[in-house]
Every structure is written in C-alpha cells, then in structure tokens.
C-alpha cells in the first residue's frame, strides 16, 4: 500500500513516450529502442492513454500481476504432485525472497513480472495431469508463450522449462512433446525475426540482452536468504567489480564453489529431494540465455528484478530444505521457523529501505517536472542531477541490502530527461530541439553521488544563465533555481525590478571598487537576511561575505558568514551588470539592532576595501541599522 502512494517513473516506460500515438508503432519497433517488448510496452501505453501517467495505476498493475504469479505458482506445483506443505513454502518464499521486492516496489520490474505471468499461464494450460492435452489448450499455451516473449525476451526459455517439467514427472502429462517442439520452433522463429528489428546498440548479439557476468551474479539467488551472514563475503568478492566481466577472477570461482557447496548441502537435507533438483533445473534453465549471449547488462547483482523468473527455482529448492527440516523433529522445526522468520524480516526491511529511496527518487523527478513548468519556454539546465538514487550515493536509512538496485536510475541524456519530465507531470518537451533539456556536473558543488554528465565550470554556467533556466540539485533533495539567485541578463534596471522588496541603499556601498550592495532586508518569517549585490566590473577574485549581528550596545550576537549565495555564485565568475540575491540564514532567536558586514578573502583573511559615498571605513566594513 505505501507503494501506491509514491510517484511514478520508469526507464522502461520511457519507450511508450517515444512511440507516436499509434500503438502499432510499438510493434514495428523504432531506431534507438534497444529492446523489442511490444506487448508490455503497448499495455503501458494503453494504461497511460486511459488513465494518464498516474503512478498508483501502474503500481497497482504491477502488484496485481505479482500476486497472480504467486497464485499460479502454487497451482502449478500442486499439478506437479508436490505435497501441500512444500508447495505452500515454495510459494511463500517466492513472494518473500528479498530480490523479489523490486517487482512490487518498482514499475521497472513490470516487464519481468509480465513475462513470468504469461510463462506460468502457458505452463498451467499445458499441464493437465492424467488427461490428454487438447488442441485448444495447446493453442492457448503457445499464445501465452508468444505473449511472454513479446513482454520480455527472457520468456523464450519456456519450452526448455516445459521439457524439464515433463522429464521430472514422466508419463504424468500427455501430449507435451508436440507442444514443446512447437515452442522451440516458435522461439527460433522469433529470434530470427528479432534480428531484423532496429536496435540502438549494434554490439548486441541476440536475445536475451544479458551479459555473461549476469549468470555469475544470478547464482547468488540461491544464497539470498543467507544474505546478512554472507554480507562480508559479498563485499570482499564484488566490490569493486568491472562493468562487464570478461574473465572470472579467483574470487568469482570461490564464490561459485560456495554456491555449489550450499546446493549440495541443500540436496542432502532436502525432502523431497526431487523438488530441490527441480528447483536447480529451473534456475539453471532460466539463466542459460545469459551464458550464451553478450550484452550491455551490468549484472543481475544490480538488477534483482532479472531474478524474478530464476527465483521460482530458488524458492522450490529452499522449500525442499524447509520441508526436510520440518521432518526432523522439534529442533528442525525451530531452525526452519527461524530461517523463515529471518527471510520475512530481511525482505520487509529491504522493501522499507527501498521505498525510502523510491520516495527520494519521486521527490527528485517531481521537482524536475515542476522546474520544467516554471521554466516556460526557456531551455533547461540541471546541475548535478544524480544518476542513481540508492545506497551508494545516499545515506541509507537502513542498509540490509547487500546488492545494488535499491534505487532508481535517472538517465541523463537530454531526450530521456525530457521524457522523464513528461512522465512525472511536467510539460511535454519531447518535441523540442535536441539540447533543450541538459544535465551538467559542477565539481565545486559535487555532492556525494554519481553524476555521469559533461562537466561545467562557473564561468560557463554564468553564460548559460543568459538564456537558460538553471536548477542546481542539492544533497537535501531540494532544487535551487539559480537563475533567480544569479541574474545575468546584463540589464541592471530589469534585475532591480525583479529583486525582492528591499531597503534600497543610496548611495550604495562599494567593495573592492567592483561590487555594490544595492539593497537589503531581513525576512522575519523565513529567519534570513537578504542582500542584493551588483557587479560594477568583473571582480576576478573570490570574495566571501561576513555579517556580524550587533545588539544596541554594539556587542556581537551572532554571525552569518560564508560564501556568496551559499557558494552558488562565486564572485570571480561575475561580470559587469550581474545581480546576485544572497540569502543568509540568521541565528534563531537573534534580532539584531544593527548589521556589520563586508567582504573578505577566505585564503588570506584580507578584507575588501569599502567606499560609501565620501566614507572610507578603515576597518573595511559598513554598519546597517535594522528597523525596529
């Protein structure tokens, strides 16, 4: 339920914004679309057309699909003659394993859940225990299989899974051989068809779009319930790691050996043992495509939603372990109960933590959309827009999740930024010229996150302010409209007219002969001092501001010192005619009788010279009396 209350975003759903209003375009593919998932994209497109881009609708769709998958899994296990208790355990573990949370909490996981929905539906139609398979059921099963691969390319493994199920219960299901052969033929034809589709990355070889690295990290699916205990091992083996794994390192082989050892131990205590074998087979078959094809994926470790389909096999195997423990008396039942309790606790905490990141990402994207509306017809420049909202770049409220993926990727190409803005309630900027929405990285303002955008310095940022709406993203998730703080239109009268209501200083104090203090005001409600500065010439030096709050006797009450405009508008980048609105928070409860202020060089401590009419204060500051 908390998921339904937060916002809406998805890199997958950007494809529905790319497509024209004609849904047939989604089936024809288009240049620049790396994936060919016409059924899922068409579904999202249709929901968007009917309900608009409302997050709750898409989240409800994802959650509903996931719950249907859980129900279908139990039905299939019972048809496979799995006893009731381990069938319940497998179903519960599939729903609760930590990696499965992404399919619920993230719309991005919808395509994987949809592919699994159609695969399980096709399996349920094909498995008719003790009865011959009718042509109608076979036709519907093949149709569901086609829907699976049109939803996500991982659905292509279904015929192999069906063959595995047939061999696991030989003779129980009649008429599966023709269906399996037809499924392989349909899959092969689809792969040949897919090769004719336009793709955004010519280096991708074939379906599905995974990396060999993904298969290594997928093995972790067996060990997810042991995550808290194995966290130090994961950190030792997988951080740092290459983006694309071209060769297994010794640590990787050690990890694979550990996974094999755990699997052997599972099979030794599992009851029924055939169920753990089935789970192992399901898991292996469902990750086989990643062993065959290279692709741009960075690994299942960072994309737990890719483990939704392999997770069915993992859940089966662990269910057999649960059942084996349950049959070993009170001690075994206690261990099983503790294991299930830990699994539930970890998955709950992971989901709660992920929702925290998800709310942060929602706040970011809604801020982008609001800023774009405010910008009107001006091009937009976002400074230090985070690439990923997750545990790596934000301080975690809780950190149980030893994998990546507990966040939201913000892709920073200009066209994709424009689409994100539209999806999150902003104006439709997708028809604007390239470069209308941009992202840049400014090292001097670089907070603790990764921003893979072209660099920019303050001088170039100042030039961009002349015709762009510029928004700086802060670590507290707030957007700062820099164009309202640093006004560089070059027309002092216009900047003066747009400034907040001020106490105008006439004549104005001049500092270093290049900077004038045009006006000031204390905002009692906001608890801040507002200073309006104008560059008379390029200062060519970084000056900081000191503000001393004085009582009626001239004694110091407090200070409001710091860089100009909080560091957003350093004076060395100013040019003649620039105005800067400098807001400085005042100490709470302090109401000064006067302000003593000036400019100083932080490195040397030197104060800027002051000229105020005929006055040349030797201590290089001015004193302003505050209104009573």
């Amino acid at each position: 339920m908390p998921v339904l209350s937060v916002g809406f975003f998805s890199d997958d759903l950007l494809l529905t914004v790319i497509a024209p209003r004609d849904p047939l375009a989604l089936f024809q593919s288009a240049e620049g679309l790396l994936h060919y998932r016409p059924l899922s994209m068409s579904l999202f497109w249709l929901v968007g057309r009917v309900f608009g881009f409302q997050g709750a609708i898409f989240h409800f769709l994802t959650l509903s699909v996931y719950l249907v998958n859980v129900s279908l899994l139990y039905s299939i296990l019972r048809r496979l003659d799995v006893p009731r208790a381990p069938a319940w355990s497998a179903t519960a573990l599939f729903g609760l394993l930590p990696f499965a949370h992404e399919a619920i909490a993230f719309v991005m996981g919808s395509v994987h859940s949809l592919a699994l929905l159609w695969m399980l539906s096709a399996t349920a139609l094909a498995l008719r225990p003790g009865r011959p398979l009718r042509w109608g059921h076979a036709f519907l099963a093949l149709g569901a299989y086609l829907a699976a691969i049109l939803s996500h390319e991982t659905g292509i493994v279904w015929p192999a899974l069906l063959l595995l199920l047939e061999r696991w219960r030989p003779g129980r299901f009649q008429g599966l051989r023709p269906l399996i052969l037809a499924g392989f033929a349909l899959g092969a034809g689809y792969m040949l068809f897919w090769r004719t589709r336009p793709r955004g990355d010519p280096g991708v070889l074939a379906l599905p779009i995974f990396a060999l690295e993904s298969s290594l990290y997928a093995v972790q699916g067996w060990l997810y319930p042991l995550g808290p205990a194995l966290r130090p091992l994961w950190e030792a083996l997988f951080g740092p790691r290459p983006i694309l794994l071209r060769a297994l390192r010794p640590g990787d082989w050690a990890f694979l050996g550990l996974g094999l050892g755990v699997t052997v131990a599972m099979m030794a205590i599992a009851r029924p043992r055939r169920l753990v074998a089935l789970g192992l087979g399901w898991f292996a078959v469902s990750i086989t495509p990643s062993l065959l094809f290279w692709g741009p994926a960075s690994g299942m470790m960072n994309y737990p939603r890719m483990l939704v389909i392999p997770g069915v096999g993992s859940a089966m195997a662990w269910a057999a372990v649960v059942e084996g423990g349950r049959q070993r008396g009170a001690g075994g039942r206690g261990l099983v109960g503790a294991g299930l309790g830990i699994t539930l606790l970890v998955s709950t905490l992971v989901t709660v933590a992920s929702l925290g990141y998800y709310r942060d990402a929602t706040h970011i994207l809604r801020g982008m959309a609001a800023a774009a509306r405010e910008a009107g017809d001006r091009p937009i420049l976002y400074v230090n827009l985070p690439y990923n909202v997750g545990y790596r770049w934000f301080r975690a409220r809780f950190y149980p999740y030893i994998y990546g993926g507990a966040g939201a990727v913000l892709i920073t190409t200009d066209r994709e930024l424009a689409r994100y803005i539209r999806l999150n309630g902003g104006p439709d900027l997708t028809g604007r010229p390239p470069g209308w929405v941009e992202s840049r990285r400014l090292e001097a303002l670089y907070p603790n996150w990764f921003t893979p955008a072209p660099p920019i310095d303050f001088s170039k940022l100042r030039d961009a302010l002349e015709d762009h709406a510029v928004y700086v993203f802060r670590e507290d998730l707030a957007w700062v409209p820099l164009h309202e703080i640093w006004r560089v239109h070059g027309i002092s009268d216009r900047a003066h007219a747009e400034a907040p209501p001020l106490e105008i200083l006439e004549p104005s104090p001049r500092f270093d002969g290049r900077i004038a203090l045009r006006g000031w005001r204390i905002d009692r409600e906001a608890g801040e001092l507002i200073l309006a500065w104008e560059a008379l010439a390029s200062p060519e030096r970084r000056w900081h501001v000191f503000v001393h709050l004085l009582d009626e006797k001239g004694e110091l009450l407090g200070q409001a010192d710091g860089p100009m405009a909080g560091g957003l508008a350093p004076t060395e980048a100013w040019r003649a005619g620039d105005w800067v609105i400098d807001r400085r928070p005042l100490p709470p409860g302090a109401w000064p009788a006067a302000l003593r202020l000036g400019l100083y060089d932080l490195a040397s401590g030197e104060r800027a010279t002051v000229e105020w009419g005929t006055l040349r204060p030797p201590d290089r500051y001015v004193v302003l009396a505050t209104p009573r």
Side-chain angles (χ1 to χ4, degrees), residues 351-418:
T351 303
V352 170
S354 297
L355 285 174
Y357 302 132
Y358 194 47
R359 291 188 183 97
D360 287 348
T362 296
H363 184 85
I364 293 167
L365 290 162
R366 285 178 174 169
M368 288 172 58
R373 286 201 177 279
E374 178 187 279
D377 293 332
R378 283 180 292 176
I380 302 166
L381 178 63
Y382 295 114
V383 179
N384 288 0
L385 175 67
Y387 169 75
N388 188 296
V389 183
Y391 74 91
R392 295 187 192 87
W393 300 281
F394 279 82
R395 299 182 188 91
R397 296 161 182 78
F398 182 78
Y399 186 17
Y401 196 32
I402 52 183
Y403 313 96
V409 174
L410 310 180
I411 306 172
T412 54
T413 64
D414 55 356
R415 303 310 301 155
E416 287 169 337
L417 283 173

